[in-house]
Protein backbone atom coordinates (compact mmCIF):
# COMPACT_ATOMS: atom_id res chain seq x y z
CA UNK A 1 0.00 0.00 0.00
CA UNK A 2 1.35 3.42 -0.90
CA UNK A 3 2.45 5.49 2.07
CA UNK A 4 4.54 8.50 3.03
CA UNK A 5 7.67 8.63 5.15
CA UNK A 6 8.93 12.06 6.26
CA UNK A 7 12.69 12.24 6.73
CA UNK A 8 15.19 14.83 7.93
CA UNK A 9 18.91 14.51 7.31
CA UNK A 10 18.58 12.67 4.00
CA UNK A 11 21.03 14.78 2.02
CA UNK A 12 24.32 13.26 3.15
CA UNK A 13 26.00 10.56 5.21
CA UNK A 14 23.99 7.70 6.64
CA UNK A 15 20.74 9.52 5.91
CA UNK A 16 21.46 9.59 2.20
CA UNK A 17 22.30 5.89 2.18
CA UNK A 18 19.17 5.12 4.19
CA UNK A 19 16.95 7.18 1.87
CA UNK A 20 18.30 5.37 -1.19
CA UNK A 21 17.74 2.01 0.51
CA UNK A 22 14.19 2.88 1.56
CA UNK A 23 13.23 3.92 -1.97
CA UNK A 24 14.85 0.91 -3.61
CA UNK A 25 13.48 -1.65 -1.19
CA UNK A 26 10.03 -0.13 -0.66
CA UNK A 27 8.71 1.06 -4.03
CA UNK A 28 5.37 2.05 -2.48
CA UNK A 29 7.09 4.70 -0.37
CA UNK A 30 6.64 8.38 -1.07
CA UNK A 31 9.70 9.87 0.62
CA UNK A 32 9.08 13.43 1.75
CA UNK A 33 12.42 14.96 2.67
CA UNK A 34 12.92 18.02 4.83
CA UNK A 35 15.84 20.10 3.55
CA UNK A 36 17.17 23.62 3.73
CA UNK A 37 16.36 26.10 0.99
CA UNK A 38 17.10 25.21 -2.61
CA UNK A 39 18.94 22.00 -1.66
CA UNK A 40 15.58 20.22 -1.43
CA UNK A 41 14.87 20.40 -5.16
CA UNK A 42 18.28 18.98 -6.00
CA UNK A 43 17.85 16.20 -3.44
CA UNK A 44 14.46 15.30 -4.93
CA UNK A 45 15.98 15.13 -8.41
CA UNK A 46 18.80 12.88 -7.24
CA UNK A 47 16.75 10.54 -5.07
CA UNK A 48 13.90 10.44 -7.57
CA UNK A 49 16.09 9.20 -10.40
CA UNK A 50 14.80 5.90 -11.71
CA UNK A 51 11.18 6.66 -11.01
CA UNK A 52 11.18 6.83 -7.22
CA UNK A 53 8.53 9.07 -5.65
CA UNK A 54 10.17 11.88 -3.71
CA UNK A 55 9.10 15.38 -2.70
CA UNK A 56 10.40 17.96 -0.24
CA UNK A 57 9.52 20.73 2.15
CA UNK A 58 11.91 23.44 3.23
CA UNK A 59 12.99 24.01 6.83
CA UNK A 60 15.98 25.15 8.83
CA UNK A 61 15.83 22.74 11.76
CA UNK A 62 17.50 25.28 14.04
CA UNK A 63 14.44 27.49 13.59
CA UNK A 64 11.27 26.11 15.17
CA UNK A 65 9.26 28.66 13.21
CA UNK A 66 10.34 27.03 9.93
CA UNK A 67 9.79 23.56 11.41
CA UNK A 68 6.22 24.61 12.16
CA UNK A 69 5.78 25.89 8.60
CA UNK A 70 7.16 22.64 7.17
CA UNK A 71 4.88 20.53 9.37
CA UNK A 72 1.88 22.63 8.36
CA UNK A 73 2.72 22.11 4.69
CA UNK A 74 3.04 18.35 5.22
CA UNK A 75 -0.32 18.28 7.02
CA UNK A 76 -1.94 20.22 4.19
CA UNK A 77 -0.60 17.78 1.58
CA UNK A 78 -1.82 14.80 3.59
CA UNK A 79 -5.27 16.28 4.16
CA UNK A 80 -5.66 17.17 0.49
CA UNK A 81 -4.59 13.70 -0.54
CA UNK A 82 -1.62 15.03 -2.49
CA UNK A 83 0.58 12.42 -0.80
CA UNK A 84 -0.42 8.97 0.51
CA UNK A 85 -1.06 8.26 4.22
CA UNK A 86 1.75 8.97 6.67
CA UNK A 87 3.40 5.84 8.03
CA UNK A 88 6.77 7.09 9.22
CA UNK A 89 8.90 9.95 10.51
CA UNK A 90 12.70 9.69 10.53
CA UNK A 91 14.44 12.34 12.63
CA UNK A 92 17.94 11.70 11.36
CA UNK A 93 19.35 15.23 11.09
CA UNK A 94 21.81 16.20 13.79
CA UNK A 95 24.52 18.74 14.44
CA UNK A 96 27.54 19.12 16.68
CA UNK A 97 28.96 22.59 17.24
CA UNK A 98 32.44 23.65 18.29
CA UNK A 99 31.11 25.30 21.45
CA UNK A 100 28.04 25.48 23.66
CA UNK A 101 27.38 29.13 22.85
CA UNK A 102 25.73 28.88 19.44
CA UNK A 103 22.25 30.35 19.61
CA UNK A 104 19.45 29.27 17.28
CA UNK A 105 17.08 31.86 15.77
CA UNK A 106 14.47 31.23 18.45
CA UNK A 107 16.97 31.88 21.26
CA UNK A 108 17.61 28.26 22.21
CA UNK A 109 21.04 26.62 22.29
CA UNK A 110 21.44 25.35 18.73
CA UNK A 111 22.47 21.75 19.48
CA UNK A 112 19.42 21.23 21.67
CA UNK A 113 17.18 23.00 19.16
CA UNK A 114 18.20 20.81 16.21
CA UNK A 115 18.80 17.46 17.92
CA UNK A 116 15.87 17.55 20.35
CA UNK A 117 13.26 20.25 19.88
CA UNK A 118 12.93 20.09 16.08
CA UNK A 119 12.16 16.35 16.22
CA UNK A 120 9.73 16.84 19.08
CA UNK A 121 7.85 19.57 17.26
CA UNK A 122 7.57 17.45 14.09
CA UNK A 123 6.30 14.48 16.09
CA UNK A 124 3.69 16.51 17.94
CA UNK A 125 2.45 18.43 14.91
CA UNK A 126 2.17 15.30 12.76
CA UNK A 127 0.97 12.97 15.50
CA UNK A 128 -2.68 12.93 14.47
CA UNK A 129 -1.77 12.39 10.81
CA UNK A 130 -0.11 8.99 11.26
CA UNK A 131 -1.94 5.99 9.84
CA UNK A 132 -1.24 2.92 11.95
CA UNK A 133 0.89 0.94 11.86
CA UNK A 134 3.43 3.76 11.85
CA UNK A 135 6.98 4.14 13.11
CA UNK A 136 8.94 7.13 14.40
CA UNK A 137 12.71 6.65 14.28
CA UNK A 138 15.03 9.12 16.00
CA UNK A 139 18.76 8.83 15.37
CA UNK A 140 20.55 8.71 18.70
CA UNK A 141 24.25 8.12 19.42
CA UNK A 142 26.30 5.85 21.62
CA UNK A 143 28.13 8.97 22.83
CA UNK A 144 25.36 9.06 25.43
CA UNK A 145 27.16 6.20 27.23
CA UNK A 146 30.08 8.53 27.93
CA UNK A 147 32.70 5.79 28.17
CA UNK A 148 35.81 4.75 26.25
CA UNK A 149 34.23 1.54 25.01
CA UNK A 150 31.62 3.37 22.97
CA UNK A 151 33.54 6.35 21.56
CA UNK A 152 37.21 5.88 22.49
CA UNK A 153 37.10 8.99 24.64
CA UNK A 154 36.61 11.30 21.69
CA UNK A 155 33.36 12.77 22.98
CA UNK A 156 32.73 13.64 26.63
CA UNK A 157 29.76 11.91 28.16
CA UNK A 158 26.48 13.69 28.82
CA UNK A 159 26.20 16.11 31.72
CA UNK A 160 22.50 16.14 32.49
CA UNK A 161 20.96 19.29 33.92
CA UNK A 162 17.50 20.73 34.16
CA UNK A 163 16.05 21.11 30.64
CA UNK A 164 15.63 24.82 31.41
CA UNK A 165 19.43 25.00 31.66
CA UNK A 166 20.19 22.70 28.72
CA UNK A 167 18.00 24.70 26.35
CA UNK A 168 20.11 27.84 26.87
CA UNK A 169 23.64 28.63 25.75
CA UNK A 170 26.49 28.23 28.21
CA UNK A 171 25.09 25.18 29.99
CA UNK A 172 28.48 23.48 30.39
CA UNK A 173 31.86 24.48 31.84
CA UNK A 174 34.14 26.45 29.50
CA UNK A 175 31.26 26.90 27.07
CA UNK A 176 33.46 28.43 24.38
CA UNK A 177 35.44 25.19 23.93
CA UNK A 178 35.04 22.21 21.62
CA UNK A 179 34.71 19.97 24.68
CA UNK A 180 31.60 21.90 25.73
CA UNK A 181 30.19 21.60 22.23
CA UNK A 182 30.71 17.85 22.26
CA UNK A 183 29.17 17.59 25.73
CA UNK A 184 26.13 19.46 24.40
CA UNK A 185 25.96 16.88 21.61
CA UNK A 186 26.14 13.77 23.82
CA UNK A 187 23.66 15.31 26.25
CA UNK A 188 21.24 16.07 23.42
CA UNK A 189 21.40 12.44 22.31
CA UNK A 190 20.60 11.29 25.84
CA UNK A 191 17.64 13.66 25.71
CA UNK A 192 16.52 12.11 22.42
CA UNK A 193 16.38 8.67 24.06
CA UNK A 194 14.43 10.06 26.99
CA UNK A 195 11.83 11.46 24.59
CA UNK A 196 11.60 8.18 22.66
CA UNK A 197 10.68 6.50 25.95
CA UNK A 198 8.02 9.15 26.52
CA UNK A 199 6.65 8.77 22.98
CA UNK A 200 6.31 5.04 23.63
CA UNK A 201 4.23 5.81 26.71
CA UNK A 202 2.16 8.68 25.37
CA UNK A 203 1.50 8.20 21.66
CA UNK A 204 -1.58 6.26 20.51
CA UNK A 205 -1.36 2.52 19.94
CA UNK A 206 -0.04 1.71 16.51
CA UNK A 207 2.52 4.53 16.48
CA UNK A 208 5.84 3.07 17.57
CA UNK A 209 8.90 5.12 18.51
CA UNK A 210 12.43 3.75 18.26
CA UNK A 211 15.88 5.24 18.93
CA UNK A 212 18.55 4.19 16.42
CA UNK A 213 22.28 4.23 17.13
CA UNK A 214 24.50 4.09 14.02
CA UNK A 215 27.68 3.85 16.09
CA UNK A 216 30.71 6.00 15.34
CA UNK A 217 30.49 6.77 11.61
CA UNK A 218 33.53 8.67 10.29
CA UNK A 219 33.31 10.79 7.18
CA UNK A 220 29.84 12.26 7.71
CA UNK A 221 29.03 15.97 7.81
CA UNK A 222 28.36 15.95 11.56
CA UNK A 223 31.51 17.95 12.38
CA UNK A 224 31.27 20.31 9.41
CA UNK A 225 31.46 23.31 11.78
CA UNK A 226 34.66 22.08 13.41
CA UNK A 227 38.11 23.49 12.75
CA UNK A 228 40.19 22.47 9.73
CA UNK A 229 42.28 19.92 11.63
CA UNK A 230 39.23 18.13 13.03
CA UNK A 231 37.48 18.20 9.66
CA UNK A 232 40.55 16.74 7.94
CA UNK A 233 40.83 13.98 10.55
CA UNK A 234 37.15 13.07 10.27
CA UNK A 235 37.14 13.02 6.47
CA UNK A 236 40.57 11.58 5.65
CA UNK A 237 41.92 9.73 8.69
CA UNK A 238 38.97 8.45 10.70
CA UNK A 239 37.26 6.62 7.79
CA UNK A 240 40.00 3.99 8.08
CA UNK A 241 38.51 3.09 11.44
CA UNK A 242 35.43 1.80 9.64
CA UNK A 243 37.54 -1.25 8.85
CA UNK A 244 37.84 -1.95 12.59
CA UNK A 245 35.27 -2.89 15.27
CA UNK A 246 35.49 0.67 16.64
CA UNK A 247 33.51 2.30 13.83
CA UNK A 248 30.77 1.73 11.28
CA UNK A 249 30.93 2.57 7.59
CA UNK A 250 28.29 4.88 6.15
CA UNK A 251 26.94 2.11 3.94
CA UNK A 252 26.36 -0.28 6.82
CA UNK A 253 24.95 2.40 9.14
CA UNK A 254 22.61 3.69 6.44
CA UNK A 255 21.34 0.23 5.56
CA UNK A 256 20.73 -0.49 9.24
CA UNK A 257 18.76 2.75 9.57
CA UNK A 258 16.63 1.74 6.59
CA UNK A 259 16.06 -1.66 8.22
CA UNK A 260 14.69 0.05 11.33
CA UNK A 261 12.48 2.44 9.34
CA UNK A 262 11.06 -0.33 7.15
CA UNK A 263 10.54 -2.73 10.04
CA UNK A 264 13.04 -5.28 8.77
CA UNK A 265 14.65 -4.90 12.18
CA UNK A 266 11.88 -5.79 14.57
CA UNK A 267 11.85 -3.43 17.51
CA UNK A 268 9.03 -2.82 19.98
CA UNK A 269 8.10 0.75 20.75
CA UNK A 270 10.55 2.45 23.08
CA UNK A 271 13.45 0.30 21.86
CA UNK A 272 17.06 1.30 21.37
CA UNK A 273 18.49 -0.29 18.21
CA UNK A 274 22.27 -0.51 18.06
CA UNK A 275 22.91 -0.84 14.33
CA UNK A 276 21.23 -4.13 13.47
CA UNK A 277 19.84 -5.29 16.80
CA UNK A 278 17.75 -4.20 19.73
CA UNK A 279 19.96 -3.54 22.74
CA UNK A 280 19.93 -1.65 26.01
CA UNK A 281 21.02 1.94 26.03
CA UNK A 282 23.02 3.31 28.96
CA UNK A 283 21.82 2.82 32.52
CA UNK A 284 21.45 6.60 32.79
CA UNK A 285 19.05 6.63 29.84
CA UNK A 286 16.32 4.84 31.83
CA UNK A 287 15.04 7.51 34.18
CA UNK A 288 11.27 8.06 34.20
CA UNK A 289 11.60 11.21 36.30
CA UNK A 290 13.96 12.87 33.82
CA UNK A 291 11.88 11.62 30.90
CA UNK A 292 8.71 13.16 32.25
CA UNK A 293 10.50 16.38 33.15
CA UNK A 294 11.95 16.65 29.66
CA UNK A 295 8.59 15.96 28.02
CA UNK A 296 6.93 18.75 29.99
CA UNK A 297 9.81 21.12 29.21
CA UNK A 298 9.84 20.27 25.50
CA UNK A 299 6.09 20.90 25.38
CA UNK A 300 6.65 24.27 27.03
CA UNK A 301 9.58 25.26 24.81
CA UNK A 302 7.66 24.44 21.63
CA UNK A 303 4.23 25.63 22.76
CA UNK A 304 4.41 28.87 20.81
CA UNK A 305 4.87 26.85 17.62
CA UNK A 306 2.61 23.87 18.41
CA UNK A 307 -0.78 25.46 18.98
CA UNK A 308 -3.39 22.91 18.06
CA UNK A 309 -1.10 19.89 18.36
CA UNK A 310 -2.93 16.70 19.31
CA UNK A 311 -2.79 15.94 23.05
CA UNK A 312 -0.94 12.84 24.21
CA UNK A 313 -1.71 11.05 27.43
CA UNK A 314 0.76 9.21 29.61
CA UNK A 315 -0.20 5.57 30.00
Amino acid sequence: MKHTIVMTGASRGIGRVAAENILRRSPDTHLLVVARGSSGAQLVAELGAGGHTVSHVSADLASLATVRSAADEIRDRLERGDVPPLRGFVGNAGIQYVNALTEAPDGFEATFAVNVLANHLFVRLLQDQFAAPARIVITASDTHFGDFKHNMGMVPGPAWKSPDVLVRTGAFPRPDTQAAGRTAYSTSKLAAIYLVHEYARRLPAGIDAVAYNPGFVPGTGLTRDAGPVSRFAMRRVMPALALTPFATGRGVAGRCLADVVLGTTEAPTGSYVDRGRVDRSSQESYDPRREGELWEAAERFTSAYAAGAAPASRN
Side-chain angles (χ1 to χ4, degrees):
M1 179 182 296
K2 291 189 178 299
H3 60 272
T4 296
I5 294 175
V6 174
M7 183 174 187
T8 71
S11 62
R12 59 166 66 91
I14 67 171
R16 180 59 176 264
V17 174
E20 292 169 350
N21 270 262
I22 290 167
L23 290 166
R24 184 176 66 253
R25 293 160 52 189
S26 179
D28 286 338
T29 296
H30 178 120
L31 188 65
L32 204 167
V33 295
V34 180
R36 294 181 64 175
S38 59
S39 65
Q42 180 179 349
L43 184 58
V44 167
E46 293 171 355
L47 291 174
H52 300 302
T53 308
V54 188
S55 63
H56 76 98
V57 293
S58 179
D60 174 0
L61 297 181
S63 166
L64 297 186
T66 70
V67 171
R68 172 65 198 243
S69 295
D72 283 347
E73 184 175 344
I74 294 168
R75 289 178 62 91
D76 288 345
R77 293 187 193 180
L78 288 163
E79 291 171 356
R80 292 195 306 263
D82 294 344
V83 296
L86 181 63
R87 288 286 177 82
F89 172 76
V90 187
N92 177 64
I95 192 68
Q96 178 180 302
Y97 290 94
V98 295
N99 56 53
L101 294 173
T102 305
E103 189 174 271
D106 304 298
F108 303 122
E109 193 277 319
T111 314
F112 198 86
V114 173
N115 296 356
V116 182
L117 296 182
N119 286 331
H120 184 69
L121 188 56
F122 267 124
V123 168
R124 296 293 280 128
L125 291 174
L126 297 177
Q127 175 183 321
D128 63 343
Q129 296 293 316
F130 284 104
R135 175 169 280 193
I136 295 164
V137 180
I138 306 296
T139 298
S141 167
D142 54 10
T143 59
H144 85 277
F145 280 91
D147 57 18
F148 185 86
K149 174 183 176 181
H150 288 89
N151 63 68
M152 298 181 291
M154 292 185 291
V155 179
W160 190 256
K161 303 175 186 293
S162 163
D164 288 283
V165 174
L166 296 175
V167 79
R168 303 299 174 190
T169 58
F172 306 103
R174 298 186 299 136
D176 60 331
T177 64
Q178 193 169 82
R182 290 176 175 173
T183 302
Y185 176 79
S186 61
T187 304
S188 76
K189 292 303 185 178
L190 176 61
I193 297 172
Y194 284 153
L195 283 179
V196 164
H197 293 164
E198 282 297 292
Y199 298 149
R201 295 185 183 105
R202 294 177 181 266
L203 296 182
I207 305 176
D208 292 344
V210 177
Y212 167 69
N213 168 45
F216 172 56
V217 186
T220 68
L222 181 64
T223 56
R224 54 187 174 275
D225 290 330
V229 174
S230 294
R231 291 200 306 271
F232 177 82
M234 285 297 292
R235 292 176 181 174
R236 304 299 182 187
V237 180
M238 294 296 186
L241 289 175
L243 303 176
T244 75
F246 292 106
T248 312
R250 281 181 293 177
V252 172
R255 288 193 299 274
C256 287
L257 174 55
D259 287 342
V260 178
V261 174
L262 296 176
T264 305
T265 297
E266 296 184 5
T269 189
S271 295
Y272 177 81
V273 177
D274 182 0
R275 284 151 280 200
R277 63 189 178 90
V278 174
D279 203 350
R280 284 187 63 81
S281 49
S282 70
Q283 182 174 348
E284 185 180 11
S285 71
Y286 299 94
D287 189 324
R289 182 189 62 80
R290 287 184 182 178
E291 291 160 6
E293 180 186 35
L294 178 59
W295 170 278
E296 297 300 335
E299 291 285 281
R300 182 160 34 89
F301 300 147
T302 59
S303 62
Y305 311 94
S313 60
R314 186 166 184 151
N315 296 329

